[in-house]
Amino acid sequence: MQWQTLSSPPFLPPLYWRAALKRKITGTALPEQGVRCRVSVNSWQVAAYRKVCGFADSPVLPATYPHILAFGLQMQLLTDHAFPFPLLGLIHLSNRIRIHRPLGGVSELSIAVHAQNLQPHPKGATFDVVTRVEDSLGLLWEAESRMLCRGVKLDGETAQAVQAAPTQTGEITRWKAPADIGRRYARVSGDYNPIHLSAFTAKLFGFPQAIAHGLWNKARTLAALAEHLPAANIELTVEFQKPVRLPSEVVLLASAAGARGELMLKGAGDIEHMRGKWQPITERH
């Protein structure tokens, strides 16, 4: 892996423009290059994120906040001329984060992002966007987001791991996903994907109305489960099912508090929006 080391986080507007202009698949191999940078944690931005996602005030960063710190680097990676797939139209299938130590007392972090694990899929190809966050003591947090690019032709067998539906779960809480949550989350995350912003912009990409960001759904869920989950040595995996159309109400179901458990986010008519699980990092399945 070759690394491009930036002196400061990327300036986003040119990257949005680059993403808007690239609409075609230009290859079938991932570049052997990652992007890394030192990033400062801004308390005002963290507070704004907490408000949008429902996290209570705490000296510890929200479990999903490193995604926000890494977003510019992810954009830089995915809009680079060497990257073969257009960013607009990618579908976020699943997300896994590992919190190795409590996310407290951090002011500056080293973040590295790369793509790997290109695999054939019945609808195209999948790959993982891998993010690693380190502090002065070493690895602190890491994540893999599995993305689907439709229309890619790869040789090989397609294999899809299907996560079993949670069984021992009960309703924890429910909340409304308001019509403007896509715009509000975009302001704190930098993710201005048109499918999340309004019904008009979503229709340009084939959606009847705007849909909530998958990582907002996950963040809002983890905020609601704050008393349920360990603060560290935890792996949290979710699969995104049917999108949450805006506005709508969702119900969170989860198993009892503990070192491991399962969760599910459902909408009207028992539609499944997201399913997931948590467990200690030391476990491998």
Side-chain angles (χ1 to χ4, degrees):
M1 180 68 61
Q2 297 177 320
W3 291 98
Q4 177 187 9
T5 303
L6 306 181
S7 58
S8 61
F11 184 53
L12 289 176
L15 302 183
Y16 293 138
W17 184 244
R18 203 187 292 174
L21 291 177
K22 181 169 183 175
R23 296 298 179 89
K24 292 184 178 180
I25 296 166
T26 56
T28 55
L30 298 175
E32 289 288 320
Q33 181 170 311
V35 188
R36 58 190 179 188
C37 184
R38 292 190 68 79
V39 176
S40 296
V41 178
N42 181 302
S43 59
W44 179 86
Q45 291 171 338
V46 176
Y49 178 82
R50 287 187 193 281
K51 186 174 181 181
V52 169
C53 298
F55 287 99
D57 286 340
S58 168
V60 176
L61 289 180
T64 44
Y65 192 70
H67 277 301
I68 306 305
L69 298 174
F71 181 73
L73 293 175
Q74 293 168 352
M75 283 281 289
Q76 177 92 6
L77 178 79
L78 297 176
T79 60
D80 189 272
H81 297 300
F83 202 80
F85 310 135
L87 177 58
L88 289 178
L90 291 180
I91 299 168
H92 197 174
L93 297 181
S94 64
N95 173 264
R96 174 172 59 192
I97 63 176
R98 296 188 189 98
I99 306 171
H100 291 270
R101 288 176 284 112
L103 305 177
V106 292
S107 58
E108 191 175 57
L109 296 165
S110 296
I111 301 180
V113 176
H114 71 279
Q116 66 179 31
N117 193 29
L118 184 64
Q119 299 284 343
H121 183 276
K123 295 182 179 178
T126 61
F127 64 94
D128 295 338
V129 177
V130 179
T131 304
R132 290 170 59 89
V133 177
E134 296 184 356
D135 63 4
S136 58
L137 298 177
L139 184 61
L140 179 65
W141 183 99
E142 57 186 330
E144 293 108 38
S145 285
R146 179 148 299 172
M147 313 299 291
L148 167 67
C149 182
R150 289 181 288 198
V152 181
K153 300 290 194 296
L154 293 180
D155 294 331
E157 295 293 319
T158 62
Q160 282 186 276
V162 178
Q163 186 172 313
T167 52
Q168 303 295 320
T169 59
E171 181 175 337
I172 301 296
T173 186
R174 56 182 63 207
W175 60 80
K176 287 184 167 59
D180 68 342
I181 196 61
R183 296 187 293 277
R184 289 171 55 202
Y185 184 78
R187 286 195 288 271
V188 299
S189 68
D191 186 351
Y192 282 89
N193 189 321
I195 64 175
H196 304 304
L197 303 181
S198 70
F200 173 75
T201 55
K203 284 174 183 173
L204 297 176
F205 291 85
F207 291 88
Q209 60 204 93
I211 63 174
H213 292 74
L215 286 178
W216 179 78
N217 292 328
K218 184 172 185 178
R220 184 67 184 83
T221 294
L222 297 188
L225 292 176
E227 302 302 316
H228 252 63
L229 306 175
N233 187 34
I234 182 173
E235 178 177 291
L236 296 143
T237 304
V238 298
E239 292 179 359
F240 302 112
Q241 315 289 117
K242 297 290 186 181
V244 175
R245 296 184 180 185
L246 301 176
S248 62
E249 184 179 64
V250 296
V251 179
L252 173 62
L253 301 101
S255 47
R260 62 184 61 80
E262 300 174 303
L263 63 90
M264 182 176 288
L265 197 65
K266 288 189 171 185
D270 233 24
I271 185 171
E272 277 189 33
H273 294 305
M274 186 176 77
R275 60 171 65 168
K277 62 183 179 181
W278 70 90
Q279 64 192 34
I281 291 174
T282 50
E283 293 188 2
R284 286 290 179 267
H285 295 284

